[in-house]
Amino acid sequence: MTKSHAVDELYALIMAQLDDDQAQEIVSIPLEGKSSVADHMVVASGRSTRQVAAMAQKLGEKVKQAGFGPVRIEGLPQADWVLIDCGDVVVHLFRPEVRSFYNLERMWSFEGGEAQQGRA
């Protein structure tokens, strides 16, 4: 499997899992060729700290079970803003108030490229 195909599969898995977990306002920001951090950044919200924490833990488990290796999860104890580093895809899960305060979508938007809205 090529790296590009593996990244696409990982990205599809993450987007489907967030949709299944009823994440809100899912936004995907393509980073390929623009940043060495990752190929995709996904930003989504949960309704509460409990939902954010549950989505993060479940996503980490699903990614590992699918054979993409372990993920790093930061911010789980407070669950206001949880970062899930899946390698080529980085996921930020927020409570709505925290998300609007940091506004990562605006910070990471590039000229000539807008963030893509995901499902939900």
Side-chain angles (χ1 to χ4, degrees), residues 89-114:
V89 182
V90 176
V91 181
H92 296 271
L93 299 177
F94 288 97
R95 280 190 311 106
E97 314 78 64
V98 178
R99 181 177 181 170
S100 64
F101 179 79
Y102 287 103
N103 199 359
L104 283 186
E105 295 95 326
R106 188 174 59 88
M107 184 187 324
W108 279 92
S109 63
F110 295 97
E111 277 187 44
E114 286 299 312

mmCIF file with all atom_site columns, all heavy atoms in Angstrom, residues 89-114:
data_model
loop_
_atom_site.group_PDB
_atom_site.id
_atom_site.type_symbol
_atom_site.label_atom_id
_atom_site.label_alt_id
_atom_site.label_comp_id
_atom_site.label_asym_id
_atom_site.label_entity_id
_atom_site.label_seq_id
_atom_site.pdbx_PDB_ins_code
_atom_site.Cartn_x
_atom_site.Cartn_y
_atom_site.Cartn_z
_atom_site.occupancy
_atom_site.B_iso_or_equiv
_atom_site.pdbx_formal_charge
_atom_site.auth_seq_id
_atom_site.auth_comp_id
_atom_site.auth_asym_id
_atom_site.auth_atom_id
_atom_site.pdbx_PDB_model_num
ATOM 1   N N   . VAL A 1 89  ? -2.509  12.562 10.038 1.00 0.00 ? 89  VAL A N   1
ATOM 2   C CA  . VAL A 1 89  ? -3.747  13.286 10.298 1.00 0.00 ? 89  VAL A CA  1
ATOM 3   C C   . VAL A 1 89  ? -3.738  13.713 11.764 1.00 0.00 ? 89  VAL A C   1
ATOM 4   O O   . VAL A 1 89  ? -3.552  12.888 12.656 1.00 0.00 ? 89  VAL A O   1
ATOM 5   C CB  . VAL A 1 89  ? -4.998  12.428 10.009 1.00 0.00 ? 89  VAL A CB  1
ATOM 6   C CG1 . VAL A 1 89  ? -6.270  13.230 10.242 1.00 0.00 ? 89  VAL A CG1 1
ATOM 7   C CG2 . VAL A 1 89  ? -4.971  11.875 8.586  1.00 0.00 ? 89  VAL A CG2 1
ATOM 8   N N   . VAL A 1 90  ? -3.932  15.005 11.991 1.00 0.00 ? 90  VAL A N   1
ATOM 9   C CA  . VAL A 1 90  ? -3.988  15.542 13.339 1.00 0.00 ? 90  VAL A CA  1
ATOM 10  C C   . VAL A 1 90  ? -5.419  16.003 13.588 1.00 0.00 ? 90  VAL A C   1
ATOM 11  O O   . VAL A 1 90  ? -6.008  16.706 12.769 1.00 0.00 ? 90  VAL A O   1
ATOM 12  C CB  . VAL A 1 90  ? -3.010  16.728 13.509 1.00 0.00 ? 90  VAL A CB  1
ATOM 13  C CG1 . VAL A 1 90  ? -3.144  17.361 14.883 1.00 0.00 ? 90  VAL A CG1 1
ATOM 14  C CG2 . VAL A 1 90  ? -1.580  16.272 13.269 1.00 0.00 ? 90  VAL A CG2 1
ATOM 15  N N   . VAL A 1 91  ? -5.976  15.573 14.723 1.00 0.00 ? 91  VAL A N   1
ATOM 16  C CA  . VAL A 1 91  ? -7.365  15.891 15.047 1.00 0.00 ? 91  VAL A CA  1
ATOM 17  C C   . VAL A 1 91  ? -7.401  16.750 16.305 1.00 0.00 ? 91  VAL A C   1
ATOM 18  O O   . VAL A 1 91  ? -6.750  16.424 17.303 1.00 0.00 ? 91  VAL A O   1
ATOM 19  C CB  . VAL A 1 91  ? -8.189  14.601 15.267 1.00 0.00 ? 91  VAL A CB  1
ATOM 20  C CG1 . VAL A 1 91  ? -9.645  14.933 15.576 1.00 0.00 ? 91  VAL A CG1 1
ATOM 21  C CG2 . VAL A 1 91  ? -8.084  13.667 14.068 1.00 0.00 ? 91  VAL A CG2 1
ATOM 22  N N   . HIS A 1 92  ? -8.165  17.840 16.236 1.00 0.00 ? 92  HIS A N   1
ATOM 23  C CA  . HIS A 1 92  ? -8.399  18.706 17.392 1.00 0.00 ? 92  HIS A CA  1
ATOM 24  C C   . HIS A 1 92  ? -9.874  18.604 17.744 1.00 0.00 ? 92  HIS A C   1
ATOM 25  O O   . HIS A 1 92  ? -10.734 18.899 16.907 1.00 0.00 ? 92  HIS A O   1
ATOM 26  C CB  . HIS A 1 92  ? -8.087  20.168 17.055 1.00 0.00 ? 92  HIS A CB  1
ATOM 27  C CG  . HIS A 1 92  ? -6.659  20.416 16.727 1.00 0.00 ? 92  HIS A CG  1
ATOM 28  N ND1 . HIS A 1 92  ? -5.728  20.732 17.694 1.00 0.00 ? 92  HIS A ND1 1
ATOM 29  C CD2 . HIS A 1 92  ? -5.996  20.393 15.542 1.00 0.00 ? 92  HIS A CD2 1
ATOM 30  C CE1 . HIS A 1 92  ? -4.544  20.912 17.102 1.00 0.00 ? 92  HIS A CE1 1
ATOM 31  N NE2 . HIS A 1 92  ? -4.685  20.696 15.803 1.00 0.00 ? 92  HIS A NE2 1
ATOM 32  N N   . LEU A 1 93  ? -10.173 18.177 18.968 1.00 0.00 ? 93  LEU A N   1
ATOM 33  C CA  . LEU A 1 93  ? -11.548 18.121 19.448 1.00 0.00 ? 93  LEU A CA  1
ATOM 34  C C   . LEU A 1 93  ? -11.719 19.164 20.548 1.00 0.00 ? 93  LEU A C   1
ATOM 35  O O   . LEU A 1 93  ? -10.901 19.239 21.466 1.00 0.00 ? 93  LEU A O   1
ATOM 36  C CB  . LEU A 1 93  ? -11.871 16.727 20.000 1.00 0.00 ? 93  LEU A CB  1
ATOM 37  C CG  . LEU A 1 93  ? -11.772 15.567 19.017 1.00 0.00 ? 93  LEU A CG  1
ATOM 38  C CD1 . LEU A 1 93  ? -12.047 14.244 19.740 1.00 0.00 ? 93  LEU A CD1 1
ATOM 39  C CD2 . LEU A 1 93  ? -12.737 15.752 17.863 1.00 0.00 ? 93  LEU A CD2 1
ATOM 40  N N   . PHE A 1 94  ? -12.772 19.949 20.428 1.00 0.00 ? 94  PHE A N   1
ATOM 41  C CA  . PHE A 1 94  ? -12.995 21.062 21.344 1.00 0.00 ? 94  PHE A CA  1
ATOM 42  C C   . PHE A 1 94  ? -14.396 21.034 21.943 1.00 0.00 ? 94  PHE A C   1
ATOM 43  O O   . PHE A 1 94  ? -15.328 20.527 21.332 1.00 0.00 ? 94  PHE A O   1
ATOM 44  C CB  . PHE A 1 94  ? -12.928 22.395 20.573 1.00 0.00 ? 94  PHE A CB  1
ATOM 45  C CG  . PHE A 1 94  ? -11.588 22.813 20.121 1.00 0.00 ? 94  PHE A CG  1
ATOM 46  C CD1 . PHE A 1 94  ? -11.167 22.548 18.830 1.00 0.00 ? 94  PHE A CD1 1
ATOM 47  C CD2 . PHE A 1 94  ? -10.751 23.531 20.959 1.00 0.00 ? 94  PHE A CD2 1
ATOM 48  C CE1 . PHE A 1 94  ? -9.931  22.978 18.377 1.00 0.00 ? 94  PHE A CE1 1
ATOM 49  C CE2 . PHE A 1 94  ? -9.511  23.963 20.514 1.00 0.00 ? 94  PHE A CE2 1
ATOM 50  C CZ  . PHE A 1 94  ? -9.101  23.690 19.230 1.00 0.00 ? 94  PHE A CZ  1
ATOM 51  N N   . ARG A 1 95  ? -14.531 21.680 23.093 1.00 0.00 ? 95  ARG A N   1
ATOM 52  C CA  . ARG A 1 95  ? -15.839 22.149 23.526 1.00 0.00 ? 95  ARG A CA  1
ATOM 53  C C   . ARG A 1 95  ? -16.096 23.416 22.713 1.00 0.00 ? 95  ARG A C   1
ATOM 54  O O   . ARG A 1 95  ? -15.161 24.141 22.368 1.00 0.00 ? 95  ARG A O   1
ATOM 55  C CB  . ARG A 1 95  ? -15.844 22.493 25.016 1.00 0.00 ? 95  ARG A CB  1
ATOM 56  C CG  . ARG A 1 95  ? -15.968 21.292 25.908 1.00 0.00 ? 95  ARG A CG  1
ATOM 57  C CD  . ARG A 1 95  ? -16.216 21.644 27.372 1.00 0.00 ? 95  ARG A CD  1
ATOM 58  N NE  . ARG A 1 95  ? -15.313 22.657 27.902 1.00 0.00 ? 95  ARG A NE  1
ATOM 59  C CZ  . ARG A 1 95  ? -15.648 23.927 28.142 1.00 0.00 ? 95  ARG A CZ  1
ATOM 60  N NH1 . ARG A 1 95  ? -16.866 24.364 27.910 1.00 0.00 ? 95  ARG A NH1 1
ATOM 61  N NH2 . ARG A 1 95  ? -14.762 24.771 28.625 1.00 0.00 ? 95  ARG A NH2 1
ATOM 62  N N   . PRO A 1 96  ? -17.343 23.737 22.358 1.00 0.00 ? 96  PRO A N   1
ATOM 63  C CA  . PRO A 1 96  ? -17.633 24.865 21.451 1.00 0.00 ? 96  PRO A CA  1
ATOM 64  C C   . PRO A 1 96  ? -17.037 26.210 21.891 1.00 0.00 ? 96  PRO A C   1
ATOM 65  O O   . PRO A 1 96  ? -16.489 26.940 21.070 1.00 0.00 ? 96  PRO A O   1
ATOM 66  C CB  . PRO A 1 96  ? -19.158 24.922 21.428 1.00 0.00 ? 96  PRO A CB  1
ATOM 67  C CG  . PRO A 1 96  ? -19.577 23.525 21.711 1.00 0.00 ? 96  PRO A CG  1
ATOM 68  C CD  . PRO A 1 96  ? -18.551 22.986 22.679 1.00 0.00 ? 96  PRO A CD  1
ATOM 69  N N   . GLU A 1 97  ? -17.109 26.534 23.189 1.00 0.00 ? 97  GLU A N   1
ATOM 70  C CA  . GLU A 1 97  ? -16.593 27.827 23.655 1.00 0.00 ? 97  GLU A CA  1
ATOM 71  C C   . GLU A 1 97  ? -15.077 27.922 23.467 1.00 0.00 ? 97  GLU A C   1
ATOM 72  O O   . GLU A 1 97  ? -14.537 28.967 23.112 1.00 0.00 ? 97  GLU A O   1
ATOM 73  C CB  . GLU A 1 97  ? -16.888 28.064 25.142 1.00 0.00 ? 97  GLU A CB  1
ATOM 74  C CG  . GLU A 1 97  ? -18.272 27.766 25.639 1.00 0.00 ? 97  GLU A CG  1
ATOM 75  C CD  . GLU A 1 97  ? -18.545 26.282 25.852 1.00 0.00 ? 97  GLU A CD  1
ATOM 76  O OE1 . GLU A 1 97  ? -17.916 25.627 26.709 1.00 0.00 ? 97  GLU A OE1 1
ATOM 77  O OE2 . GLU A 1 97  ? -19.421 25.773 25.137 1.00 0.00 ? 97  GLU A OE2 1
ATOM 78  N N   . VAL A 1 98  ? -14.390 26.837 23.733 1.00 0.00 ? 98  VAL A N   1
ATOM 79  C CA  . VAL A 1 98  ? -12.933 26.808 23.610 1.00 0.00 ? 98  VAL A CA  1
ATOM 80  C C   . VAL A 1 98  ? -12.538 26.889 22.140 1.00 0.00 ? 98  VAL A C   1
ATOM 81  O O   . VAL A 1 98  ? -11.597 27.599 21.766 1.00 0.00 ? 98  VAL A O   1
ATOM 82  C CB  . VAL A 1 98  ? -12.361 25.541 24.286 1.00 0.00 ? 98  VAL A CB  1
ATOM 83  C CG1 . VAL A 1 98  ? -10.856 25.467 24.134 1.00 0.00 ? 98  VAL A CG1 1
ATOM 84  C CG2 . VAL A 1 98  ? -12.761 25.495 25.758 1.00 0.00 ? 98  VAL A CG2 1
ATOM 85  N N   . ARG A 1 99  ? -13.293 26.208 21.292 1.00 0.00 ? 99  ARG A N   1
ATOM 86  C CA  . ARG A 1 99  ? -13.017 26.235 19.851 1.00 0.00 ? 99  ARG A CA  1
ATOM 87  C C   . ARG A 1 99  ? -13.152 27.653 19.296 1.00 0.00 ? 99  ARG A C   1
ATOM 88  O O   . ARG A 1 99  ? -12.307 28.107 18.532 1.00 0.00 ? 99  ARG A O   1
ATOM 89  C CB  . ARG A 1 99  ? -13.969 25.299 19.120 1.00 0.00 ? 99  ARG A CB  1
ATOM 90  C CG  . ARG A 1 99  ? -13.728 25.261 17.623 1.00 0.00 ? 99  ARG A CG  1
ATOM 91  C CD  . ARG A 1 99  ? -14.650 24.280 16.963 1.00 0.00 ? 99  ARG A CD  1
ATOM 92  N NE  . ARG A 1 99  ? -14.436 24.203 15.534 1.00 0.00 ? 99  ARG A NE  1
ATOM 93  C CZ  . ARG A 1 99  ? -14.979 23.304 14.756 1.00 0.00 ? 99  ARG A CZ  1
ATOM 94  N NH1 . ARG A 1 99  ? -15.781 22.388 15.280 1.00 0.00 ? 99  ARG A NH1 1
ATOM 95  N NH2 . ARG A 1 99  ? -14.749 23.304 13.471 1.00 0.00 ? 99  ARG A NH2 1
ATOM 96  N N   . SER A 1 100 ? -14.206 28.352 19.669 1.00 0.00 ? 100 SER A N   1
ATOM 97  C CA  . SER A 1 100 ? -14.396 29.707 19.137 1.00 0.00 ? 100 SER A CA  1
ATOM 98  C C   . SER A 1 100 ? -13.318 30.655 19.672 1.00 0.00 ? 100 SER A C   1
ATOM 99  O O   . SER A 1 100 ? -12.894 31.568 18.967 1.00 0.00 ? 100 SER A O   1
ATOM 100 C CB  . SER A 1 100 ? -15.794 30.237 19.450 1.00 0.00 ? 100 SER A CB  1
ATOM 101 O OG  . SER A 1 100 ? -15.986 30.367 20.839 1.00 0.00 ? 100 SER A OG  1
ATOM 102 N N   . PHE A 1 101 ? -12.817 30.417 20.876 1.00 0.00 ? 101 PHE A N   1
ATOM 103 C CA  . PHE A 1 101 ? -11.761 31.260 21.437 1.00 0.00 ? 101 PHE A CA  1
ATOM 104 C C   . PHE A 1 101 ? -10.458 31.107 20.652 1.00 0.00 ? 101 PHE A C   1
ATOM 105 O O   . PHE A 1 101 ? -9.815  32.086 20.290 1.00 0.00 ? 101 PHE A O   1
ATOM 106 C CB  . PHE A 1 101 ? -11.530 30.911 22.910 1.00 0.00 ? 101 PHE A CB  1
ATOM 107 C CG  . PHE A 1 101 ? -10.439 31.717 23.552 1.00 0.00 ? 101 PHE A CG  1
ATOM 108 C CD1 . PHE A 1 101 ? -10.671 33.018 23.965 1.00 0.00 ? 101 PHE A CD1 1
ATOM 109 C CD2 . PHE A 1 101 ? -9.174  31.180 23.734 1.00 0.00 ? 101 PHE A CD2 1
ATOM 110 C CE1 . PHE A 1 101 ? -9.661  33.772 24.546 1.00 0.00 ? 101 PHE A CE1 1
ATOM 111 C CE2 . PHE A 1 101 ? -8.158  31.924 24.310 1.00 0.00 ? 101 PHE A CE2 1
ATOM 112 C CZ  . PHE A 1 101 ? -8.408  33.224 24.727 1.00 0.00 ? 101 PHE A CZ  1
ATOM 113 N N   . TYR A 1 102 ? -10.049 29.876 20.362 1.00 0.00 ? 102 TYR A N   1
ATOM 114 C CA  . TYR A 1 102 ? -8.775  29.632 19.668 1.00 0.00 ? 102 TYR A CA  1
ATOM 115 C C   . TYR A 1 102 ? -8.880  29.762 18.154 1.00 0.00 ? 102 TYR A C   1
ATOM 116 O O   . TYR A 1 102 ? -7.899  30.096 17.499 1.00 0.00 ? 102 TYR A O   1
ATOM 117 C CB  . TYR A 1 102 ? -8.203  28.260 20.042 1.00 0.00 ? 102 TYR A CB  1
ATOM 118 C CG  . TYR A 1 102 ? -7.659  28.244 21.438 1.00 0.00 ? 102 TYR A CG  1
ATOM 119 C CD1 . TYR A 1 102 ? -8.369  27.651 22.469 1.00 0.00 ? 102 TYR A CD1 1
ATOM 120 C CD2 . TYR A 1 102 ? -6.452  28.845 21.734 1.00 0.00 ? 102 TYR A CD2 1
ATOM 121 C CE1 . TYR A 1 102 ? -7.880  27.654 23.770 1.00 0.00 ? 102 TYR A CE1 1
ATOM 122 C CE2 . TYR A 1 102 ? -5.950  28.858 23.029 1.00 0.00 ? 102 TYR A CE2 1
ATOM 123 C CZ  . TYR A 1 102 ? -6.674  28.258 24.040 1.00 0.00 ? 102 TYR A CZ  1
ATOM 124 O OH  . TYR A 1 102 ? -6.182  28.268 25.306 1.00 0.00 ? 102 TYR A OH  1
ATOM 125 N N   . ASN A 1 103 ? -10.025 29.466 17.583 1.00 0.00 ? 103 ASN A N   1
ATOM 126 C CA  . ASN A 1 103 ? -10.301 29.649 16.153 1.00 0.00 ? 103 ASN A CA  1
ATOM 127 C C   . ASN A 1 103 ? -9.175  29.112 15.260 1.00 0.00 ? 103 ASN A C   1
ATOM 128 O O   . ASN A 1 103 ? -8.620  29.831 14.426 1.00 0.00 ? 103 ASN A O   1
ATOM 129 C CB  . ASN A 1 103 ? -10.574 31.129 15.866 1.00 0.00 ? 103 ASN A CB  1
ATOM 130 C CG  . ASN A 1 103 ? -11.298 31.332 14.559 1.00 0.00 ? 103 ASN A CG  1
ATOM 131 O OD1 . ASN A 1 103 ? -11.583 30.380 13.835 1.00 0.00 ? 103 ASN A OD1 1
ATOM 132 N ND2 . ASN A 1 103 ? -11.585 32.566 14.238 1.00 0.00 ? 103 ASN A ND2 1
ATOM 133 N N   . LEU A 1 104 ? -8.848  27.846 15.423 1.00 0.00 ? 104 LEU A N   1
ATOM 134 C CA  . LEU A 1 104 ? -7.771  27.223 14.648 1.00 0.00 ? 104 LEU A CA  1
ATOM 135 C C   . LEU A 1 104 ? -8.030  27.242 13.149 1.00 0.00 ? 104 LEU A C   1
ATOM 136 O O   . LEU A 1 104 ? -7.096  27.343 12.363 1.00 0.00 ? 104 LEU A O   1
ATOM 137 C CB  . LEU A 1 104 ? -7.582  25.763 15.075 1.00 0.00 ? 104 LEU A CB  1
ATOM 138 C CG  . LEU A 1 104 ? -6.862  25.496 16.377 1.00 0.00 ? 104 LEU A CG  1
ATOM 139 C CD1 . LEU A 1 104 ? -6.648  24.009 16.545 1.00 0.00 ? 104 LEU A CD1 1
ATOM 140 C CD2 . LEU A 1 104 ? -5.556  26.230 16.462 1.00 0.00 ? 104 LEU A CD2 1
ATOM 141 N N   . GLU A 1 105 ? -9.296  27.144 12.754 1.00 0.00 ? 105 GLU A N   1
ATOM 142 C CA  . GLU A 1 105 ? -9.608  27.127 11.326 1.00 0.00 ? 105 GLU A CA  1
ATOM 143 C C   . GLU A 1 105 ? -9.079  28.385 10.640 1.00 0.00 ? 105 GLU A C   1
ATOM 144 O O   . GLU A 1 105 ? -8.504  28.325 9.559  1.00 0.00 ? 105 GLU A O   1
ATOM 145 C CB  . GLU A 1 105 ? -11.121 27.032 11.078 1.00 0.00 ? 105 GLU A CB  1
ATOM 146 C CG  . GLU A 1 105 ? -11.746 25.749 11.546 1.00 0.00 ? 105 GLU A CG  1
ATOM 147 C CD  . GLU A 1 105 ? -12.345 25.835 12.946 1.00 0.00 ? 105 GLU A CD  1
ATOM 148 O OE1 . GLU A 1 105 ? -11.803 26.559 13.812 1.00 0.00 ? 105 GLU A OE1 1
ATOM 149 O OE2 . GLU A 1 105 ? -13.343 25.169 13.184 1.00 0.00 ? 105 GLU A OE2 1
ATOM 150 N N   . ARG A 1 106 ? -9.262  29.525 11.268 1.00 0.00 ? 106 ARG A N   1
ATOM 151 C CA  . ARG A 1 106 ? -8.795  30.778 10.677 1.00 0.00 ? 106 ARG A CA  1
ATOM 152 C C   . ARG A 1 106 ? -7.269  30.836 10.688 1.00 0.00 ? 106 ARG A C   1
ATOM 153 O O   . ARG A 1 106 ? -6.642  31.257 9.723  1.00 0.00 ? 106 ARG A O   1
ATOM 154 C CB  . ARG A 1 106 ? -9.377  31.983 11.429 1.00 0.00 ? 106 ARG A CB  1
ATOM 155 C CG  . ARG A 1 106 ? -9.077  33.304 10.736 1.00 0.00 ? 106 ARG A CG  1
ATOM 156 C CD  . ARG A 1 106 ? -9.785  34.461 11.415 1.00 0.00 ? 106 ARG A CD  1
ATOM 157 N NE  . ARG A 1 106 ? -9.401  34.607 12.808 1.00 0.00 ? 106 ARG A NE  1
ATOM 158 C CZ  . ARG A 1 106 ? -8.358  35.330 13.227 1.00 0.00 ? 106 ARG A CZ  1
ATOM 159 N NH1 . ARG A 1 106 ? -7.611  35.958 12.361 1.00 0.00 ? 106 ARG A NH1 1
ATOM 160 N NH2 . ARG A 1 106 ? -8.075  35.412 14.505 1.00 0.00 ? 106 ARG A NH2 1
ATOM 161 N N   . MET A 1 107 ? -6.663  30.396 11.764 1.00 0.00 ? 107 MET A N   1
ATOM 162 C CA  . MET A 1 107 ? -5.208  30.437 11.884 1.00 0.00 ? 107 MET A CA  1
ATOM 163 C C   . MET A 1 107 ? -4.533  29.560 10.826 1.00 0.00 ? 107 MET A C   1
ATOM 164 O O   . MET A 1 107 ? -3.492  29.908 10.304 1.00 0.00 ? 107 MET A O   1
ATOM 165 C CB  . MET A 1 107 ? -4.787  29.956 13.280 1.00 0.00 ? 107 MET A CB  1
ATOM 166 C CG  . MET A 1 107 ? -3.304  30.066 13.514 1.00 0.00 ? 107 MET A CG  1
ATOM 167 S SD  . MET A 1 107 ? -2.723  29.339 15.069 1.00 0.00 ? 107 MET A SD  1
ATOM 168 C CE  . MET A 1 107 ? -3.999  29.661 16.234 1.00 0.00 ? 107 MET A CE  1
ATOM 169 N N   . TRP A 1 108 ? -5.147  28.402 10.503 1.00 0.00 ? 108 TRP A N   1
ATOM 170 C CA  . TRP A 1 108 ? -4.542  27.456 9.584  1.00 0.00 ? 108 TRP A CA  1
ATOM 171 C C   . TRP A 1 108 ? -5.053  27.568 8.155  1.00 0.00 ? 108 TRP A C   1
ATOM 172 O O   . TRP A 1 108 ? -4.673  26.798 7.297  1.00 0.00 ? 108 TRP A O   1
ATOM 173 C CB  . TRP A 1 108 ? -4.732  26.026 10.082 1.00 0.00 ? 108 TRP A CB  1
ATOM 174 C CG  . TRP A 1 108 ? -3.722  25.686 11.117 1.00 0.00 ? 108 TRP A CG  1
ATOM 175 C CD1 . TRP A 1 108 ? -3.847  25.825 12.464 1.00 0.00 ? 108 TRP A CD1 1
ATOM 176 C CD2 . TRP A 1 108 ? -2.415  25.165 10.906 1.00 0.00 ? 108 TRP A CD2 1
ATOM 177 N NE1 . TRP A 1 108 ? -2.704  25.414 13.092 1.00 0.00 ? 108 TRP A NE1 1
ATOM 178 C CE2 . TRP A 1 108 ? -1.810  25.007 12.158 1.00 0.00 ? 108 TRP A CE2 1
ATOM 179 C CE3 . TRP A 1 108 ? -1.687  24.807 9.763  1.00 0.00 ? 108 TRP A CE3 1
ATOM 180 C CZ2 . TRP A 1 108 ? -0.520  24.507 12.309 1.00 0.00 ? 108 TRP A CZ2 1
ATOM 181 C CZ3 . TRP A 1 108 ? -0.405  24.313 9.922  1.00 0.00 ? 108 TRP A CZ3 1
ATOM 182 C CH2 . TRP A 1 108 ? 0.168   24.162 11.177 1.00 0.00 ? 108 TRP A CH2 1
ATOM 183 N N   . SER A 1 109 ? -5.942  28.519 7.882  1.00 0.00 ? 109 SER A N   1
ATOM 184 C CA  . SER A 1 109 ? -6.412  28.657 6.497  1.00 0.00 ? 109 SER A CA  1
ATOM 185 C C   . SER A 1 109 ? -5.307  29.307 5.680  1.00 0.00 ? 109 SER A C   1
ATOM 186 O O   . SER A 1 109 ? -4.613  30.209 6.138  1.00 0.00 ? 109 SER A O   1
ATOM 187 C CB  . SER A 1 109 ? -7.698  29.479 6.429  1.00 0.00 ? 109 SER A CB  1
ATOM 188 O OG  . SER A 1 109 ? -7.477  30.782 6.882  1.00 0.00 ? 109 SER A OG  1
ATOM 189 N N   . PHE A 1 110 ? -5.131  28.809 4.475  1.00 0.00 ? 110 PHE A N   1
ATOM 190 C CA  . PHE A 1 110 ? -4.078  29.294 3.591  1.00 0.00 ? 110 PHE A CA  1
ATOM 191 C C   . PHE A 1 110 ? -4.698  30.061 2.441  1.00 0.00 ? 110 PHE A C   1
ATOM 192 O O   . PHE A 1 110 ? -5.818  29.786 2.032  1.00 0.00 ? 110 PHE A O   1
ATOM 193 C CB  . PHE A 1 110 ? -3.261  28.118 3.029  1.00 0.00 ? 110 PHE A CB  1
ATOM 194 C CG  . PHE A 1 110 ? -2.506  27.362 4.084  1.00 0.00 ? 110 PHE A CG  1
ATOM 195 C CD1 . PHE A 1 110 ? -3.029  26.204 4.636  1.00 0.00 ? 110 PHE A CD1 1
ATOM 196 C CD2 . PHE A 1 110 ? -1.277  27.808 4.531  1.00 0.00 ? 110 PHE A CD2 1
ATOM 197 C CE1 . PHE A 1 110 ? -2.344  25.505 5.603  1.00 0.00 ? 110 PHE A CE1 1
ATOM 198 C CE2 . PHE A 1 110 ? -0.583  27.106 5.501  1.00 0.00 ? 110 PHE A CE2 1
ATOM 199 C CZ  . PHE A 1 110 ? -1.119  25.953 6.039  1.00 0.00 ? 110 PHE A CZ  1
ATOM 200 N N   . GLU A 1 111 ? -3.943  30.999 1.895  1.00 0.00 ? 111 GLU A N   1
ATOM 201 C CA  . GLU A 1 111 ? -4.427  31.728 0.728  1.00 0.00 ? 111 GLU A CA  1
ATOM 202 C C   . GLU A 1 111 ? -4.717  30.756 -0.396 1.00 0.00 ? 111 GLU A C   1
ATOM 203 O O   . GLU A 1 111 ? -3.929  29.873 -0.688 1.00 0.00 ? 111 GLU A O   1
ATOM 204 C CB  . GLU A 1 111 ? -3.371  32.734 0.262  1.00 0.00 ? 111 GLU A CB  1
ATOM 205 C CG  . GLU A 1 111 ? -3.401  34.030 1.027  1.00 0.00 ? 111 GLU A CG  1
ATOM 206 C CD  . GLU A 1 111 ? -2.461  35.049 0.421  1.00 0.00 ? 111 GLU A CD  1
ATOM 207 O OE1 . GLU A 1 111 ? -2.438  35.177 -0.815 1.00 0.00 ? 111 GLU A OE1 1
ATOM 208 O OE2 . GLU A 1 111 ? -1.758  35.700 1.196  1.00 0.00 ? 111 GLU A OE2 1
ATOM 209 N N   . GLY A 1 112 ? -5.852  30.950 -1.035 1.00 0.00 ? 112 GLY A N   1
ATOM 210 C CA  . GLY A 1 112 ? -6.198  30.102 -2.172 1.00 0.00 ? 112 GLY A CA  1
ATOM 211 C C   . GLY A 1 112 ? -6.775  28.755 -1.764 1.00 0.00 ? 112 GLY A C   1
ATOM 212 O O   . GLY A 1 112 ? -7.144  27.977 -2.592 1.00 0.00 ? 112 GLY A O   1
ATOM 213 N N   . GLY A 1 113 ? -6.848  28.489 -0.478 1.00 0.00 ? 113 GLY A N   1
ATOM 214 C CA  . GLY A 1 113 ? -7.420  27.210 -0.051 1.00 0.00 ? 113 GLY A CA  1
ATOM 215 C C   . GLY A 1 113 ? -8.263  27.392 1.183  1.00 0.00 ? 113 GLY A C   1
ATOM 216 O O   . GLY A 1 113 ? -7.794  27.896 2.184  1.00 0.00 ? 113 GLY A O   1
ATOM 217 N N   . GLU A 1 114 ? -9.494  27.017 1.094  1.00 0.00 ? 114 GLU A N   1
ATOM 218 C CA  . GLU A 1 114 ? -10.405 27.129 2.224  1.00 0.00 ? 114 GLU A CA  1
ATOM 219 C C   . GLU A 1 114 ? -10.545 25.782 2.900  1.00 0.00 ? 114 GLU A C   1
ATOM 220 O O   . GLU A 1 114 ? -10.400 24.729 2.282  1.00 0.00 ? 114 GLU A O   1
ATOM 221 C CB  . GLU A 1 114 ? -11.779 27.605 1.750  1.00 0.00 ? 114 GLU A CB  1
ATOM 222 C CG  . GLU A 1 114 ? -11.809 29.083 1.390  1.00 0.00 ? 114 GLU A CG  1
ATOM 223 C CD  . GLU A 1 114 ? -11.464 29.990 2.562  1.00 0.00 ? 114 GLU A CD  1
ATOM 224 O OE1 . GLU A 1 114 ? -12.023 29.806 3.657  1.00 0.00 ? 114 GLU A OE1 1
ATOM 225 O OE2 . GLU A 1 114 ? -10.627 30.875 2.379  1.00 0.00 ? 114 GLU A OE2 1
#
